[in-house]
Amino acid sequence: MLVPEPLITTSPDRLSGIPVFAGARVPIQTLIDYLEAGDTLDEFLKDFPIVSREHAIAVLELAKSALLTRR
């Protein structure tokens, strides 16, 4: 499955401008909340089937890259 570009979008007209998975109304924060709670990526994907595994992993990789390259 192709991953959308950009991975994340924001719009003041959608969910008060919070970052969401591009092409979906699923906040990125929801994925983080699932993982923080100890849920698996599979559980998140089951509850939000509009988000593909590849898209979720790409967003996590983007976050990882942003954190590791900050100085």
Side-chain angles (χ1 to χ4, degrees):
M1 172 174 255
L2 293 175
V3 177
E5 185 61 40
L7 295 171
I8 300 168
T9 59
T10 60
S11 171
D13 300 330
R14 217 173 352 168
L15 297 175
S16 301
I18 63 172
V20 297
F21 285 89
R25 293 178 60 99
V26 179
I28 301 300
Q29 183 65 49
T30 303
L31 172 57
I32 302 303
D33 291 344
Y34 266 66
L35 297 175
E36 283 181 340
D39 295 320
T40 66
L41 178 58
D42 286 334
E43 290 169 308
F44 170 81
L45 295 170
K46 184 179 98 204
D47 290 344
F48 299 94
I50 193 166
V51 178
S52 72
R53 173 176 296 282
E54 295 82 4
H55 195 168
I57 290 171
V59 166
L60 291 171
E61 288 291 332
L62 180 64
K64 175 183 166 184
S65 176
L67 289 170
L68 294 178
T69 58
R70 289 189 84 172
R71 294 184 193 261

